Amino acid sequence: MNQTMDRRRLLATAALGGVVGATGLGSLAPEAAFAAEPATIEPGAPDPNFAEGRISRISGSMLLVTGSDTVLHSIRITDGTSIWKLHPTTFDRVVVGDGLYARGVRLPDGTLAADSVWVNIVNLHGHIAAVGRNVLHLDHQGRRIVAHVVPDRSAAVYNGTPAVSDLSLLRVGRHVQVLGAWHPDTNEIDIATVYAAA
């Protein structure tokens, strides 16, 4: 079954909370991207210090991003910007077509000076449909997601215990929550962390 899924549809079905910045504002861990946001913004109002979408152009240290609501964002990457793409990485690993969530400070010209950028991050809830060598097949709201286990990177958290690299306790039919990195324009992700009951 080779289904493709665009980022908008994939993320629209993912459980997304607010985003907390890195360095001085919080953690760069992928879990931080889905943490609860401080209640300083009027309910229903857009957060001026947050942007999401797909990268349509890169010019120097500036990203032009088209939001899922078609709003265009200019995001400046600085020497202090923390970037996550399955793991902490550098700006040269970000490419046109990648999706992102960014948190930072809005400058007077409307540009977002990014403190943290999470590239292709997803947070999915689903059921394990099949387990293969270094891959989980997930049913996520009626769609099949192929979740790749990345050696020396993917981890599992069972019943709230500390993360371990052993994913052997994952079983077909079990509910899981998966944080990972989307492969743009596909139904595939790389697993950062799987949360499950043992």
Side-chain angles (χ1 to χ4, degrees):
M1 176 198 276
N2 184 13
Q3 287 181 305
T4 61
M5 183 181 305
D6 66 23
R7 180 170 180 77
R8 185 179 206 184
R9 187 173 355 169
L10 184 66
L11 293 178
T13 60
L16 171 64
V19 177
V20 177
T23 62
L25 298 177
S27 172
L28 182 61
E31 293 81 0
F34 301 102
E37 183 177 325
T40 58
I41 298 166
E42 190 70 29
D47 182 346
N49 298 317
F50 172 79
E52 62 78 31
R54 285 190 81 173
I55 300 168
S56 54
R57 194 172 97 205
I58 300 174
S59 179
S61 64
M62 187 73 76
L63 301 174
L64 182 61
V65 175
T66 303
S68 60
D69 56 0
T70 68
V71 170
L72 296 176
H73 302 280
S74 294
I75 301 172
R76 179 166 308 283
I77 304 299
T78 69
D79 289 341
T81 303
S82 299
I83 301 171
W84 183 93
K85 190 174 184 179
L86 189 63
H87 53 85
T89 192
T90 56
F91 183 56
D92 62 328
R93 304 289 299 164
V94 177
V95 298
V96 170
D98 279 342
L100 63 73
Y101 293 105
R103 163 98 29 223
V105 175
R106 193 66 65 178
L107 301 176
D109 67 357
T111 301
L112 181 70
D115 183 56
S116 302
V117 176
W118 293 271
V119 180
N120 296 330
I121 191 167
V122 294
N123 179 9
L124 304 171
H125 289 266
H127 289 86
I128 300 173
V131 177
R133 183 175 171 83
N134 291 326
V135 68
L136 297 176
H137 295 270
L138 305 174
D139 283 331
H140 171 69
Q141 297 188 350
R143 300 196 182 278
R144 182 61 54 97
I145 303 294
V146 179
H148 299 277
V149 176
V150 180
D152 301 320
R153 186 85 50 209
S154 299
V157 173
Y158 300 106
N159 302 323
T161 62
V164 295
S165 61
D166 179 11
L167 277 63
S168 67
L169 296 178
L170 298 173
R171 300 285 183 252
V172 171
R174 296 262 176 98
H175 176 267
V176 292
Q177 177 181 0
V178 181
L179 292 178
W182 173 58
H183 297 202
D185 301 316
T186 72
N187 65 327
E188 300 183 39
I189 64 172
D190 288 334
I191 298 170
T193 309
V194 178
Y195 295 87

